[in-house]
């Protein structure tokens, strides 16, 4: 009779969406683990695995990070999170199919992913259809949080936020140096990410008094960008904005050197510039390129918990965090907090916690995460960094800067 009673209690717990102590809670994660940006996808995977270690194991040295000191989720009897990874191959249709598989076959209760906005878009529509919470770490297309979805939440700042931030920075730079910066060039991959970045840049330029003198799209995964660089060189803008992932940005910079084009300043949206493989790929030629970052090594002395977690990531990935991978760790930690606070594996209960809660996040510049009614993190913050001597250094805002911006970018012939 005693065994029967215990069994009945267990069945009741499972029926109400509450996990038993020994039960693993399955979450799905979709990233490009093979294909043209596989190296980035693997870093995304490591970012999730760092969050799993923090949540599933006891880490008293990380006191201050929610769930770090205990093993598993205390409100669910110590249940641990198991992540089932899926490979999008950097293809939207594959990402969509994998979301369907994870939900219907693997029975995951929530999704993370998918790095590329073009993959996140269809995958999150699948999650919405099934009532599955989807916490996105790094996809930046502003359109993702403008679709009226109920179950979609995003950690990273949007391309709209970065566009306004970039142009305000250029206004500051112009006033600081006395050199007029008015004429802007935009180069971008012809995908969900790139097209929306270009659209937001054009909108911000109109509002802030800049002129777009070169609009240069290209095909994602291109093998030749000569025509695109020649177009930028002919337009001779005062600054360029770039929306490219690691392979394309590497090719873009190599082509700029080959064709002897050095823009006065280049500002990159999330992606290729932020990936530390960029410096490995082009060596000294990485110097003087700039972009937004939600992670900065020079901030670590002020953020000791982030410094410790960065060492955990570095032990797995062989390199420090960059902005997107840190945001992916944030996403996994926020999702774990939401499941724990819900005390349930029920999608609607987890979704309600995500929508209503301000989450402590000492690994973020702002120190917290909260989503607005569209699912966008209202505390998403970035700094502007420049690569100098092979290292990323913060150059703006001034109160966080650890180095002075090198401007204008030196001509290729003037570099050592």
């Amino acid at each position: 009779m005693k065994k029967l009673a215990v069994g009945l209690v267990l069945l009741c717990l499972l029926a109400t969406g509450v996990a038993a102590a020994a039960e693993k809670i399955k979450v799905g994660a979709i990233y490009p683990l093979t294909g043209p940006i596989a190296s980035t996808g693997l870093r995304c995977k490591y970012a999730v695995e760092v969050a799993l270690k923090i949540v599933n194991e006891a880490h008293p040295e990380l006191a201050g990070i929610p769930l770090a000191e205990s093993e598993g989720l205390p409100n669910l009897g110590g249940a641990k999170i198991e992540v089932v990874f899926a490979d999008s191959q950097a293809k939207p249709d594959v990402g969509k199919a994998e979301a369907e598989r994870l939900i219907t076959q693997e029975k995951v209760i929530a999704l993370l992913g998918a790095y590329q906005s073009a993959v996140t878009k269809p995958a999150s529509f699948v999650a919405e259809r099934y009532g599955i919470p989807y916490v996105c770490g790094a996809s930046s297309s502003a359109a993702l949080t403008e679709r009226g979805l109920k179950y979609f939440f995003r950690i990273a700042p949007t391309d709209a936020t970065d566009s306004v931030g970039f142009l305000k920075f250029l206004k500051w730079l112009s006033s600081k140096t006395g050199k007029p910066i008015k004429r802007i060039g935009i180069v971008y991959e012809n995908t969900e990410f790139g097209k929306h970045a270009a659209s937001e840049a054009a909108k911000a330029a109109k509002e802030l008094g800049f002129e777009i003198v070169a609009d240069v799209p290209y095909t994602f995964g291109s093998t030749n960008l000569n025509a695109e660089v020649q177009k930028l060189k002919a337009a001779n803008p005062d600054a360029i904005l770039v929306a490219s992932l690691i392979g394309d940005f590497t090719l873009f910079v190599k082509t700029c050197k080959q064709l002897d084009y050095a823009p006065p300043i280049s500002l990159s949206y999330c992606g290729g510039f932020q990936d530390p493989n960029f410096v490995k790929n082009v060596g000294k030629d990485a110097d003087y390129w700039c972009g937004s970052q939600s992670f900065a090594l020079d901030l670590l002395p002020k953020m000791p918990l982030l410094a410790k977690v960065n060492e955990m990531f570095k032990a797995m990935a062989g390199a420090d965090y960059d902005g997107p991978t840190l945001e992916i760790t944030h996403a996994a930690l926020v999702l774990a907090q939401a499941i724990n606070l819900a005390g349930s594996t029920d999608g609607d209960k987890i979704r309600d916690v995500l929508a209503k809660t301000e989450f402590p996040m000492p690994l973020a510049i702002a120190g917290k995460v909260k989503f607005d009614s569209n699912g966008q993190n209202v505390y998403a913050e970035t700094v502007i960094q420049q690569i100098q001597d092979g290292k990323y250094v913060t150059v703006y805002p001034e109160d966080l800067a650890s180095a002075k911006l090198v401007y204008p970018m030196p001509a290729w012939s003037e570099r050592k």
Side-chain angles (χ1 to χ4, degrees):
M1 289 295 292
K2 186 176 180 180
K3 290 183 179 180
L4 178 60
V6 170
L8 288 172
V9 170
L10 178 60
L11 286 172
C12 289
L13 288 171
L14 294 176
T16 57
V18 178
E23 185 188 357
K24 289 278 183 84
I25 295 173
K26 291 177 73 173
V27 170
I30 306 169
Y31 295 108
L33 303 177
T34 61
I37 54 171
S39 63
T40 300
L42 289 173
R43 286 173 54 78
C44 295
K45 181 174 182 286
Y46 295 137
V48 174
E49 289 176 342
V50 167
L52 286 182
K53 284 183 69 67
I54 293 172
V55 172
N56 289 339
E57 303 172 6
H59 288 276
E61 76 280 9
L62 298 179
I65 300 176
L67 304 176
E69 294 182 80
S70 61
E71 288 191 25
L73 305 180
N75 292 350
L76 288 94
K80 296 184 178 181
I81 295 177
E82 174 188 351
V83 173
V84 183
F85 288 98
D87 180 12
S88 71
Q89 303 172 34
K91 299 175 182 178
D93 57 334
V94 175
K96 179 182 179 181
E98 286 298 276
E100 186 92 28
R101 180 183 68 81
L102 288 170
I103 294 169
T104 61
Q105 297 180 31
E106 295 289 348
K107 306 298 182 184
V108 301
I109 65 158
L111 287 175
L112 297 164
Y115 183 70
Q116 298 160 279
S117 296
V119 177
T120 296
K121 184 178 181 179
S124 56
F125 273 132
V126 173
E128 187 77 10
R129 177 156 46 89
Y130 285 98
I132 295 292
Y134 191 117
V135 184
C136 169
S139 302
S140 60
S141 169
L144 293 173
T145 44
E146 296 170 356
R147 299 174 294 167
L149 300 189
K150 181 180 177 183
Y151 294 86
F152 182 79
F153 302 88
R154 188 215 337 244
I155 298 290
T158 71
D159 297 325
T161 305
D162 273 347
S163 293
V164 172
F166 285 160
L167 297 184
K168 286 184 175 180
F169 164 72
L170 292 177
K171 279 184 174 289
W172 169 85
L173 181 59
S174 183
S175 66
K176 196 84 172 173
T177 62
K179 297 179 180 180
I181 302 174
K182 286 287 186 181
R183 304 170 69 256
I184 306 297
I186 312 172
V187 58
Y188 56 97
E189 63 173 56
N190 195 16
T191 66
E192 181 84 14
F193 160 49
K195 287 188 288 187
H196 279 94
S199 173
E200 294 298 339
K203 187 189 303 181
K206 185 176 181 180
E207 292 173 354
L208 295 172
F210 290 84
E211 178 188 3
I212 303 298
V213 297
D215 183 291
V216 186
Y218 68 86
T219 302
F220 169 67
S222 290
T223 56
N224 188 305
L225 292 174
N226 286 14
E228 288 79 4
V229 173
Q230 291 282 22
K231 186 174 180 178
L232 284 172
K233 187 175 181 179
N236 193 29
D238 301 322
I240 65 170
L241 307 183
V242 185
S244 296
L245 301 185
I246 182 62
D248 295 333
F249 191 58
T250 297
L251 178 61
F252 175 71
V253 171
K254 288 180 177 179
T255 306
C256 284
K257 183 179 182 180
Q258 178 187 345
L259 298 179
D260 194 28
Y261 173 60
I265 188 165
S266 169
L267 294 166
S268 286
Y269 295 88
C270 80
F273 165 82
Q274 297 177 338
D275 193 319
N277 284 310
F278 171 56
V279 177
K280 294 179 182 179
N281 290 348
V282 301
K284 291 182 179 180
D285 294 342
D287 282 351
Y288 314 119
W289 299 89
C290 300
S292 63
Q293 281 271 33
S294 58
F295 172 80
L297 277 173
D298 49 20
L299 294 179
L300 294 186
K302 304 174 185 178
M303 303 177 69
L305 282 176
L306 177 56
K308 291 177 181 179
V309 175
N310 181 59
E311 288 304 311
M312 293 172 65
F313 178 79
K314 194 172 182 178
M316 291 185 187
D320 299 295
Y321 272 118
D322 58 4
T325 47
L326 180 57
E327 289 158 352
I328 288 166
T329 294
H330 293 170
L333 290 174
V334 165
L335 178 57
Q337 288 185 60
I339 296 169
N340 183 62
L341 290 171
S344 171
T345 58
D346 178 78
D348 287 328
K349 292 179 180 178
I350 297 167
R351 182 264 166 205
D352 288 346
V353 171
L354 286 166
K356 297 173 183 177
T357 306
E358 181 172 289
F359 298 93
M361 185 51 61
L363 306 183
I365 293 173
K368 51 192 174 182
V369 168
K370 183 173 175 57
F371 302 107
D372 65 17
S373 59
N374 292 321
Q376 175 59 40
N377 176 18
V378 299
Y379 295 124
E381 289 188 26
T382 61
V383 296
I384 290 179
Q385 292 196 308
Q386 183 175 56
I387 300 172
Q388 298 179 7
D389 296 323
K391 297 180 180 179
Y392 292 83
V393 293
T394 301
V395 294
Y396 184 84
E398 287 182 282
D399 61 334
L400 295 177
S402 64
K404 185 178 180 180
L405 175 73
V406 177
Y407 170 79
M409 183 187 294
W412 293 104
S413 60
E414 297 174 358
R415 305 188 190 190
K416 295 179 181 178

